[in-house]
Amino acid sequence: MNKNNPGEINLETFSCPIPFAHNEKIMLGHGSGGKMTHDLINRLFLYYFNNSSKEITTNDASVLSTTALRFAMCTDCHVVSPIFFPGGDLGRLAVCGTVNDLAMVGAKPLYLTAGFILEEGLNVSVLEKVVQSMQNAAIEAGIKIVAGDTKVVQKGKADQIFITTTGYGEIPDDVHISGDNAQPGDVVIISGSMGDHGIAVLTARGELGLEADIVSDVAPLHDLVANMLSMTKNIHVLRDPTRGGLATSLNEIAIQSKVGIILHEEKIPVKPAVRATCDLLGFNPLYIANEGKVIVIAPSEVSELLLSVMRAHPYGKDAEIIGDVLEEPKERVLSRNPIGSTQVLDMLSGEILPRIC
Amino acid sequence: MNKNNPGEINLETFSCPIPFAHNEKIMLGHGSGGKMTHDLINRLFLYYFNNSSKEITTNDASVLSTTALRFAMCTDCHVVSPIFFPGGDLGRLAVCGTVNDLAMVGAKPLYLTAGFILEEGLNVSVLEKVVQSMQNAAIEAGIKIVAGDTKVVQKGKADQIFITTTGYGEIPDDVHISGDNAQPGDVVIISGSMGDHGIAVLTARGELGLEADIVSDVAPLHDLVANMLSMTKNIHVLRDPTRGGLATSLNEIAIQSKVGIILHEEKIPVKPAVRATCDLLGFNPLYIANEGKVIVIAPSEVSELLLSVMRAHPYGKDAEIIGDVLEEPKERVLSRNPIGSTQVLDMLSGEILPRIC
């Protein structure tokens, strides 16, 4: 076991160097700022998040170095229920969600902060699994967890664990990616199948009696994006279609860029089990959350190049060109089916799957 | 009313340009990522947090510029109950807590992100007051709110509003402040009275039938710290004694710096009403949270200079030299009373006042 490489830790057998007792619970004192807080920080958070360059300290803030001229910041709260689901868990989601938001402006993810709101009575072993998973995801994403905070609220005033992560990433000089950059004539590419995450979390709840073999796609997309940018900087928009799904994300882009977008329905990858579950429940998979997929909008002359780079990456192997950016109808997303009929795809109204991320 | 200067907004009468209906409630759909989320973002968050330089966008991450070589990052979750208390509220606390953590390493606070976890059924007007208060505090602190996220959980799965803020600040080249820098021979200065925040929140709960006239000290300390650093860079440690109070913060510093600290008990400012309430409840004010005070540890030759700079600032007017750093006993904090008897001041054990910040 190597302290500097917790990525190799076996989640089933590993425990902290001074292990917490079996069934030890989080108490209000763990959020007091006193001895119990320091104990939790030292035995759990610092142990897992420590990294060789010692950015994480017990000071009020971490001091970091940079030579970049432009950087990105983003933040995401994570309240997914249940905490563990096929293909991922709250910890992996909390890291990947923020890493992906950085990647969506072309930033190289470097530093992450993590704020934990814990419910009194939570099993420390549950927190430990989530923290281990965060560290594993951080290693995969090449991001360092540099600062954190923990608060504990009374039993019944939160639901187990909420994690808010904030990311810092540096942007190369010649990268200019933004939701308002889509141009008529651009094509729309998606990196893989739609709806896997939302349906995986939904089936993990067990409320519907469904037993579909659906796994969340939660994954860090920084490497896929870096590969694309290494081939061409001529990318106008990147966005990960999380809450609200592909349809909502494309509406956001259409509004920001004041363009129309038309999708070729039959080109959009949806796994059969996801489609079957959606059909059963009356959901449209284009409104279901993804956590490891990226929408790419780029000039048509680079589309085949981007498609080949994406398909060569494990997180982009099912990439497809799925649509076009048009001058009109402005701020609208249309979907055309194989027999040529066209419908408007609006933003998500209301809420179909709460607490999916 | 000036959209670019929400600092002038009257909290009692102001409402959004497209006001929310009286008694309108937060629904799960406000966290869906779809239309209702965009409505909340546009009418509430973007309206209040928008700033002239447009750092806040509807992209996944905000793109920011820098020429600094060193910066600081920190994060804090805020779960205070009640949300509104004498002298402040959750919003002011969420900004000041993070601004102060940046100031404690000598950083100039520049950018803030804010993650909101909302309970279904929350009155939008409560959220609006908190958001206005955040913006007012951000203006006072000279920090820009550049990115945010909102999640909504079912009624009973959170307690109204939790806010996690993350700060970014730049550190001047010649500033090196850290909890492990305290040196034997240094003096310990405190910027003002101890325990005001914790006791103000406690009495606001109304559970104890107390009606003490105690106001929270919650305030941004960046300007006080900047004034001190403009006079001398010869400051070894800064720390704001929040959760766990002065005693716990000094223990942290004694451990980090491997020194002893002795306090002159009669020098430590405590307001009579705070002392009376503490006496009544059996609390020691040195363990009660502050949100607008700073511990300064610096060489004795600059102590009078620092004291005069601090006393000239509204947030440091009651500053006092309260102790000395010693070679021994290492990693211990002692308190000596006027008749010369000395006791060990340990870190806070357990929890005396949950959800104070």
Side-chain angles (χ1 to χ4, degrees):
Chain A
M1 186 163 42
N2 176 355
K3 184 174 170 181
N4 292 319
N5 192 1
E8 292 178 3
I9 287 166
N10 179 331
L11 287 181
E12 295 310 313
T13 61
F14 179 79
S15 202
C16 298
I18 311 170
F20 290 88
H22 181 61
N23 279 338
E24 193 164 342
K25 307 280 194 214
I26 289 292
M27 297 192 282
L28 288 171
H30 285 115
S32 68
K35 276 186 182 176
M36 291 176 70
T37 304
H38 284 81
D39 185 60
L40 189 70
I41 290 172
N42 288 323
R43 285 164 65 194
L44 193 65
F45 294 113
L46 279 184
Y47 180 79
Y48 287 108
F49 296 157
N50 209 352
N51 44 57
S52 51
S53 48
K54 303 283 179 243
E55 279 91 352
I56 198 162
T57 69
T58 48
N59 284 332
D60 287 326
S62 286
V63 175
L64 305 160
S65 297
T66 178
T67 53
L69 294 175
R70 288 190 310 150
F71 65 95
M73 274 184 91
C74 61
T75 195
D76 249 334
C77 305
H78 299 87
V79 299
V80 67
S81 173
I83 289 176
F84 303 99
F85 48 81
D89 57 61
L90 170 63
R92 181 168 173 83
L93 192 62
V95 172
C96 294
T98 291
V99 162
N100 291 349
D101 282 346
L102 292 174
M104 294 306 115
V105 294
K108 178 180 161 63
L110 288 175
Y111 301 119
L112 193 82
T113 68
F116 294 81
I117 296 171
L118 306 178
E119 183 186 11
E120 181 188 16
L122 175 76
N123 249 311
V124 177
S125 62
V126 171
L127 178 62
E128 186 175 358
K129 275 199 177 188
V130 168
V131 166
Q132 285 177 307
S133 177
M134 286 182 79
Q135 178 62 5
N136 290 342
I139 289 169
E140 182 183 352
I143 200 164
K144 286 178 175 171
I145 299 172
V146 295
D149 186 37
T150 307
K151 294 281 159 47
V152 181
V153 297
Q154 301 92 333
K155 197 164 177 60
K157 298 294 185 183
D159 191 8
Q160 296 191 280
I161 314 177
F162 300 147
I163 305 177
T164 301
T165 51
T166 305
Y168 169 97
E170 293 178 356
I171 304 175
D173 279 348
D174 44 358
V175 169
H176 297 278
I177 296 167
S178 172
D180 58 6
N181 278 352
Q183 314 278 338
D186 285 354
V187 298
V188 180
I189 310 173
I190 189 74
S191 63
S193 59
M194 293 290 93
D196 300 9
H197 175 73
I199 298 300
V201 173
L202 181 69
T203 53
R205 287 181 191 159
E207 293 162 2
L208 303 168
L210 294 172
E211 287 211 31
D213 187 20
I214 298 166
V215 173
S216 167
D217 57 352
V218 56
L221 297 170
H222 66 295
D223 191 55
L224 174 62
V225 170
N227 286 2
M228 290 159 54
L229 286 171
S230 74
M231 299 302 286
T232 176
K233 301 290 189 296
N234 201 2
I235 295 173
H236 291 159
V237 183
L238 296 174
R239 184 150 303 180
D240 56 334
T242 56
R243 280 181 297 175
L246 178 69
T248 301
S249 293
L250 288 176
N251 269 281
E252 290 169 1
I253 296 165
I255 291 167
Q256 277 186 270
S257 294
K258 299 182 177 58
V259 295
I261 293 174
I262 187 154
L263 296 179
H264 313 299
E265 205 177 294
E266 76 284 4
K267 296 283 191 188
I268 303 170
V270 179
K271 288 185 176 144
V274 171
R275 190 176 295 284
T277 306
C278 282
D279 285 350
L280 200 66
L281 299 170
F283 294 160
N284 179 341
L286 306 192
Y287 289 95
I288 306 293
N290 312 278
E291 291 289 346
K293 300 289 156 49
V294 54
I295 301 165
V296 183
I297 298 184
S300 59
E301 61 264 30
V302 296
S303 61
E304 288 299 330
L305 173 67
L306 287 172
L307 201 60
S308 66
V309 175
M310 292 171 76
R311 286 179 174 168
H313 193 284
Y315 295 145
K317 62 184 169 46
D318 298 323
E320 291 287 351
I321 296 175
I322 60 167
D324 296 288
V325 178
L326 311 171
E327 189 86 44
E328 300 284 349
K330 288 202 198 312
E331 309 192 6
R332 287 274 174 200
V333 179
L334 307 175
S335 178
R336 180 171 293 158
N337 71 16
I339 57 166
S341 84
T342 299
Q343 60 164 329
V344 174
L345 270 186
D346 205 349
M347 273 197 190
L348 177 64
S349 296
E351 173 63 298
I352 50 176
L353 293 175
R355 297 186 60 189
I356 221 71
C357 60
Chain B
M1 186 160 48
N2 176 354
K3 183 173 170 182
N4 292 318
N5 192 1
E8 291 177 4
I9 287 165
N10 180 331
L11 287 181
E12 295 310 311
T13 60
F14 180 78
S15 203
C16 298
I18 310 169
F20 290 89
H22 181 63
N23 279 337
E24 192 163 342
K25 308 281 195 212
I26 290 291
M27 298 193 282
L28 289 171
H30 286 115
S32 67
K35 277 185 181 176
M36 292 177 69
T37 304
H38 283 81
D39 186 59
L40 189 69
I41 291 172
N42 288 323
R43 285 165 66 193
L44 194 66
F45 294 113
L46 279 185
Y47 180 78
Y48 287 109
F49 295 157
N50 208 354
N51 45 58
S52 52
S53 47
K54 304 282 179 242
E55 281 90 352
I56 199 163
T57 69
T58 48
N59 283 331
D60 287 328
S62 286
V63 176
L64 305 160
S65 297
T66 178
T67 53
L69 295 174
R70 289 190 309 150
F71 64 96
M73 274 185 91
C74 61
T75 196
D76 248 335
C77 306
H78 299 87
V79 299
V80 67
S81 173
I83 289 177
F84 303 98
F85 48 82
D89 57 59
L90 170 62
R92 181 167 173 84
L93 192 63
V95 172
C96 294
T98 291
V99 162
N100 291 349
D101 283 346
L102 292 174
M104 294 307 114
V105 294
K108 176 180 162 63
L110 289 175
Y111 301 120
L112 193 83
T113 69
F116 294 82
I117 296 171
L118 307 178
E119 184 187 11
E120 181 188 15
L122 175 75
N123 249 311
V124 177
S125 62
V126 171
L127 177 63
E128 186 175 358
K129 276 199 176 187
V130 169
V131 166
Q132 284 177 308
S133 177
M134 287 182 77
Q135 178 63 5
N136 290 342
I139 289 169
E140 182 182 352
I143 199 165
K144 286 178 174 170
I145 299 172
V146 295
D149 187 37
T150 307
K151 294 280 157 53
V152 181
V153 298
Q154 302 91 332
K155 198 163 176 60
K157 298 295 185 183
D159 191 8
Q160 296 192 279
I161 314 178
F162 300 146
I163 305 177
T164 301
T165 51
T166 304
Y168 168 97
E170 293 179 356
I171 304 175
D173 279 348
D174 43 358
V175 169
H176 297 278
I177 296 167
S178 172
D180 58 6
N181 278 353
Q183 313 280 336
D186 285 353
V187 298
V188 180
I189 310 173
I190 190 76
S191 63
S193 59
M194 293 290 93
D196 301 7
H197 175 74
I199 298 301
V201 173
L202 181 68
T203 53
R205 287 181 191 159
E207 294 163 2
L208 303 168
L210 294 172
E211 288 211 30
D213 186 19
I214 299 166
V215 173
S216 167
D217 58 351
V218 56
L221 297 170
H222 67 295
D223 190 56
L224 174 63
V225 170
N227 286 2
M228 290 159 54
L229 287 171
S230 74
M231 298 303 286
T232 176
K233 301 291 190 296
N234 201 2
I235 296 172
H236 290 159
V237 183
L238 295 175
R239 185 151 301 180
D240 56 335
T242 56
R243 281 182 296 177
L246 178 69
T248 301
S249 293
L250 288 175
N251 269 280
E252 290 169 1
I253 295 166
I255 291 166
Q256 276 186 270
S257 293
K258 299 182 175 60
V259 295
I261 293 174
I262 187 155
L263 296 179
H264 313 300
E265 204 178 294
E266 76 284 5
K267 296 283 191 187
I268 303 170
V270 179
K271 288 184 176 145
V274 171
R275 190 177 297 282
T277 307
C278 283
D279 285 350
L280 200 66
L281 300 170
F283 294 161
N284 180 341
L286 306 191
Y287 290 95
I288 306 294
N290 311 278
E291 291 290 344
K293 300 290 156 50
V294 54
I295 301 165
V296 182
I297 297 184
S300 59
E301 60 264 30
V302 296
S303 61
E304 289 299 329
L305 173 66
L306 287 172
L307 202 60
S308 66
V309 175
M310 292 171 76
R311 286 179 174 169
H313 194 283
Y315 296 144
K317 63 184 168 48
D318 298 324
E320 291 287 351
I321 295 175
I322 60 167
D324 296 288
V325 179
L326 310 171
E327 189 85 45
E328 301 284 348
K330 287 201 199 311
E331 308 191 6
R332 286 276 174 198
V333 179
L334 306 175
S335 178
R336 181 171 292 159
N337 70 17
I339 57 166
S341 86
T342 299
Q343 60 163 331
V344 174
L345 269 187
D346 205 350
M347 271 196 192
L348 177 65
S349 296
E351 172 64 296
I352 51 176
L353 293 175
R355 299 187 58 192
I356 220 72
C357 59

